[in-house]
Amino acid sequence: MGKTLTEKILDAHLVEGELEPGEEIGIEIDQVLTQDTTGTLVWLQFEALGLDEVQSELAAQYCDHQTYQFDFKNTDDHRFLRSAAGTYGAYFSRPGNGICHNVHRENFAAPGKTLLGSDSHTPTPGGIGQFAIGSGGLDVAVAMGGGAYYIEMPEVVEVRLEGELPGWATAKDIILGMLRRLSVKGGVGRVFEYTGPGVETLSAPERMTITNMGTELGATTSLFPTDERTQEYLERVGRGDEFVPLGPDEDADYHDSVTLDLSELEPLIAEPSMPDNVVPVREAAGTEVDQVIIGSCTNGAYEDVLPAAKMLEDRTIDLSTEMIVAPGSKKASEMLAREGWTAELMAAGVNFSESTCGACIGIGHVPGSDSVSVRTFNRNFEGRSGIEEDNVYLCSPEVAAATALTGEITDPRDLDADIEAPGYELPDRYEGAESDIITPDSPIDDGLIKGPNIGDVPLKEPLETQLEGPTLLKMGDNITTDHIIPATQDILMYRSNIPKLSEFTLSRVDDTFADRALASNGGFLLAGENYGQGSSREHAALCPMFLGVEGVLAQSFARIHRANLFNFGLLPLEIDPETYERIDQGDHVEIVDDVAEAVRSGREAFTVRINNDWETTGHLDASARERDILAAGGKLSYVKQQHEGGSAAPADD
Ligand code: MIC
Ligand code: SF4
């Protein structure tokens, strides 16, 4: 039986385990990326591990999330990151140079290589055949130190693309169509491999819109084969020599297969407040819109802004609607400016932002109260835009531009006949100043520069024998990391100061949580399905740990967050729906038996006693390595122990 492309790349990087779905495998990581809001912990952990030089082929540090530097703490973080990149040997992309995924794909992403990034949209270059995965920062620190990355071997699912996109349908509609079909849980434990005749109809950047937003399906990653379209892209970014032909065997054995006929697609839109709340645009048409934004790592590239610019050329946007364009990279900004498109957009009434994540996480351009915002982003989780009861819709740049023209959600097919579908066009060459990437050998920094807000990473004691405490909070399904540790400006500046950041833990669900958790000296979180979906931010595990939370009982966990819980020594137990229903907030939870011993010995079923009254079972689905990490009180302690035990490379190696 032939191999999938996933199996081929993983096979070439395998250092431990077998490529059997569900089995834990260790893979070698060629490239790592990190960004400003997760990167500070990455480097603090790299330092705490006693490592002194980047060991992976390439490491890149981006400053993209909080580039407005509203507070000196953000600026200090950026200076610290530059000093860390300089000290340890990573590339440094200066604040404002663009979103990590956009800058990485332009400069470093390479087919056939593995990439690990402390950002959940790291899978973006899957569109050019790179096996790219998002993870918590500690896993990135270890991989950067030369250690393997461990994951459960995912099921590989074929997504067969037939036909060709009609007129106004775009790559964004392909991934929105997938979300409509499969939901935000549809990709958990899976890799989506795109195949079929429809693949060659899509350019590399279009493919990267799809792989970027595969994260919203919960997928481990998404992957396209490479072909002339990949080569064309690599040549235009000036790295044609990095092209490698890659694809699955003809008789590859997929776990499952989904077929999507591109010719049947139409413009789609995700309604508030979940990326899978997708309907055809025509069903939402007519809704009045206050704000339109084109940008983000999904649809902020040069090729994404261009169609909107063409649609708005010599026209003006609706007077009651504001429109902002935030190009994904400074190079895209520069190219749009040099070609005159920035001026066209400005003349149409559009405002430009620097290249940043910004509005995607509620930093700038926060929607007004009781207003509607239409964005080309990938996430519209409630409150993520910076206002609690927001109404954020997600769509393609074409739908966004049509909407800005009319002031209401508009299917571009209903625009005046003189506005034609602009199509999708790559520049002949991606050209711009190169001065915003500082190379590892640059003599700028040697030695870490820490401002007063940059603290240490707290460590947890080894797992105790007795675990008991109250159910501190009962939550529903699909709780996101934006609920656990929001990313808005007021909070984001504390990403390097865990004691302070912890005060905001779960504040969007219950603002008394942090105080109650600290006062209770231990306790548990209770949640429904897909707990911790969304971002890779390890703060969502680290802060509850700092507040004394000992474990999470949930019906299921999102992949990256589950790994982060192990990494910070929190016990993740799966419970069934009846148990979830029966336990109330405040109920006393006791894990019966010697927990540390049971974890170490491989026990899967744990007896959980509630209120000293009734018992149920919680399941721990964990590899031997994950159990050791948990028992040690988290991965930092575990790796240090191993390191002290004589291993030269970081422990996981
Ligand atoms: C996001 O899109 O939620 C973020 C902000 O990029 C996060 C990273 C973070 O929390 O810093 C992610 O996707 O991992
Ligand atoms: Fe930035 Fe938004 Fe992309 Fe996250 S999803 S990397 S916040 S643009």
Side-chain angles (χ1 to χ4, degrees):
M1 193 54 82
K3 281 183 178 170
T4 63
L5 179 52
T6 300
E7 286 166 329
K8 289 185 184 183
I9 301 181
L10 289 179
D11 211 11
H13 290 84
L14 199 65
V15 293
E16 211 178 307
E18 280 177 39
L19 302 179
E20 286 296 322
E23 292 290 306
E24 188 179 72
I25 53 166
I27 53 169
E28 192 188 344
I29 297 298
D30 302 320
Q31 302 187 343
V32 303
L33 75 76
T34 177
Q35 38 93 336
D36 49 355
T37 55
T38 53
T40 46
L41 283 191
V42 170
W43 293 111
L44 288 169
Q45 292 171 135
F46 195 82
E47 183 193 20
L49 288 170
L51 298 164
D52 47 32
E53 207 179 5
V54 168
Q55 300 294 327
S56 52
E57 249 173 64
L58 178 132
Q61 170 66 57
Y62 299 93
C63 290
D64 50 358
H65 282 65
Q66 182 23 321
T67 61
Y68 301 129
Q69 303 175 329
F70 284 125
D71 192 282
F72 80 89
K73 300 180 192 69
N74 306 123
T75 323
D76 278 4
D77 277 352
H78 291 160
R79 187 180 53 187
F80 168 67
L81 294 172
R82 196 193 68 198
S83 73
T87 304
Y88 295 123
Y91 284 88
F92 180 73
S93 172
R94 299 202 292 189
N97 189 38
I99 302 171
C100 52
H101 312 300
N102 293 60
V103 183
H104 199 81
R105 80 190 211 189
E106 284 169 6
N107 291 279
F108 304 116
K113 303 256 182 210
T114 51
L115 166 70
L116 191 71
S118 61
D119 192 280
S120 65
H121 291 99
T122 301
T124 308
I128 57 164
Q130 178 156 39
F131 197 87
I133 317 174
S135 75
L138 184 45
D139 290 321
V140 167
V142 169
M144 201 152 61
Y149 176 61
Y150 290 84
I151 40 164
E152 216 172 80
M153 176 63 195
E155 292 169 351
V156 186
V157 176
E158 174 185 31
V159 184
R160 199 174 158 75
L161 303 181
E162 306 276 1
E164 201 166 335
L165 287 170
W168 288 96
T170 65
K172 183 65 160 273
D173 302 307
I174 299 179
I175 190 65
L176 287 174
M178 287 283 286
L179 277 151
R180 188 181 192 196
R181 223 157 124 175
L182 301 177
S183 91
V184 290
K185 298 185 299 235
V188 177
R190 298 174 144 196
V191 170
F192 290 110
E193 239 185 74
Y194 289 81
T195 68
V199 166
E200 67 184 34
T201 68
L202 300 169
S203 65
E206 288 173 290
R207 297 175 190 176
M208 287 192 272
T209 290
I210 298 168
T211 46
N212 170 283
M213 210 170 162
T215 296
E216 276 47 64
L217 290 162
T220 304
T221 193
S222 307
L223 198 56
F224 273 83
T226 62
D227 56 12
E228 302 89 71
R229 308 299 299 266
T230 322
Q231 186 152 22
E232 163 194 52
Y233 178 77
L234 284 169
E235 273 162 13
R236 292 180 193 209
V237 293
R239 297 188 290 116
D241 55 335
E242 292 178 32
F243 175 76
V244 194
L246 293 171
D249 289 334
E250 260 176 33
D251 57 345
D253 184 19
Y254 289 100
H255 181 86
D256 201 356
S257 180
V258 182
T259 302
L260 220 64
D261 187 350
L262 303 185
S263 60
E264 283 174 5
L265 278 172
E266 61 174 315
L268 298 172
I269 195 163
E271 296 193 307
S273 289
M274 225 11 107
D276 61 0
N277 206 4
V278 175
V279 297
V281 175
R282 59 190 157 76
E283 282 180 23
T287 307
E288 280 188 29
V289 171
D290 303 83
Q291 183 192 56
V292 171
I293 311 185
I294 294 185
S296 90
C297 56
T298 313
N299 277 132
Y302 168 90
E303 317 83 38
D304 295 312
V305 181
L306 194 58
K310 288 180 183 167
M311 288 170 70
L312 297 185
E313 190 177 8
D314 297 328
R315 299 188 172 88
T316 49
I317 61 167
D318 179 74
L319 286 181
S320 57
T321 307
E322 282 179 31
M323 180 167 174
I324 299 110
V325 169
S329 72
K330 198 166 175 183
K331 200 173 263 180
S333 285
E334 193 180 326
M335 285 159 51
L336 291 164
R338 287 189 192 279
E339 292 168 13
W341 292 112
T342 305
E344 288 297 341
L345 283 163
M346 284 180 162
V350 172
N351 291 325
F352 265 76
S353 153
E354 63 183 78
S355 300
T356 179
C357 297
C360 184
I361 38 170
I363 296 176
H365 306 295
V366 176
S369 57
D370 200 16
S371 73
V372 170
S373 179
V374 169
R375 302 170 166 206
T376 64
F377 302 176
N378 48 34
R379 290 184 170 152
N380 60 346
F381 302 143
E382 197 183 5
R384 179 173 161 99
S385 68
I387 172 165
E388 208 48 52
E389 278 165 18
D390 52 9
N391 296 295
V392 176
Y393 291 72
L394 308 172
C395 63
S396 68
E398 285 81 347
V399 172
T403 297
L405 279 170
T406 61
E408 52 187 48
I409 293 179
T410 300
D411 185 327
R413 294 173 299 181
D414 294 335
L415 289 171
D416 291 346
D418 65 324
I419 307 185
E420 285 174 16
Y424 202 80
E425 206 186 309
L426 266 60
D428 291 340
R429 216 174 153 73
Y430 293 78
E431 264 170 336
E434 302 293 337
S435 59
D436 276 297
I437 296 185
I438 300 177
T439 56
D441 54 6
S442 145
I444 298 186
D445 294 296
D446 191 14
L448 301 178
I449 307 174
K450 294 183 186 171
N453 184 53
I454 300 179
D456 293 331
V457 185
L459 281 178
K460 189 177 179 291
E461 293 295 316
L463 195 61
E464 291 175 27
T465 51
Q466 300 291 181
L467 281 193
E468 59 177 308
T471 308
L472 292 161
L473 195 60
K474 180 167 182 173
M475 297 166 275
D477 291 342
N478 294 324
I479 289 292
T480 72
T481 52
D482 280 316
H483 289 107
I484 309 172
I485 288 291
T488 46
Q489 160 54 18
D490 45 337
I491 303 177
L492 201 71
M493 61 183 157
Y494 298 114
R495 284 280 181 102
S496 325
N497 178 345
I498 301 306
K500 181 66 191 171
L501 188 68
S502 298
E503 292 173 16
F504 299 95
T505 311
L506 285 161
S507 57
R508 289 196 34 227
V509 182
D510 175 350
D511 60 11
T512 66
F513 175 78
D515 287 343
R516 290 193 294 106
L518 260 186
S520 117
N521 194 20
F524 294 83
L525 296 172
L526 177 64
E529 299 248 35
N530 201 19
Y531 179 69
Q533 70 156 329
S535 145
S536 66
R537 65 192 73 139
E538 57 195 342
H539 308 77
L542 179 53
C543 292
M545 180 275 261
F546 181 80
L547 296 174
V549 172
E550 290 155 304
V552 183
L553 309 182
Q555 281 171 248
S556 65
F557 294 90
R559 180 185 70 86
I560 305 180
H561 186 62
R562 179 181 169 280
N564 286 336
L565 289 172
F566 282 105
N567 282 354
F568 293 98
L570 269 70
L571 182 69
L573 283 187
E574 277 177 34
I575 51 170
D576 59 29
E578 294 87 71
T579 301
Y580 169 80
E581 289 303 334
R582 260 186 100 180
I583 305 178
D584 288 322
Q585 187 164 318
D587 282 0
H588 186 82
V589 173
E590 182 191 350
I591 316 287
V592 182
D593 295 330
D594 180 334
V595 184
E597 174 49 31
V599 165
R600 262 199 212 92
S601 67
R603 168 100 58 88
E604 285 177 9
F606 286 71
T607 305
V608 183
R609 188 174 294 145
I610 310 294
N611 290 337
N612 241 333
D613 176 27
W614 57 279
E615 286 181 356
T616 182
T617 305
H619 292 273
L620 179 66
D621 172 16
S623 67
R625 197 188 52 87
E626 286 171 327
R627 289 169 181 277
D628 287 346
I629 290 175
L630 198 56
K635 189 164 178 171
L636 204 50
S637 307
Y638 166 80
V639 174
K640 275 178 143 178
Q641 273 172 18
Q642 299 236 328
H643 207 35
E644 281 153 16
S647 151
D652 274 11
D653 202 33

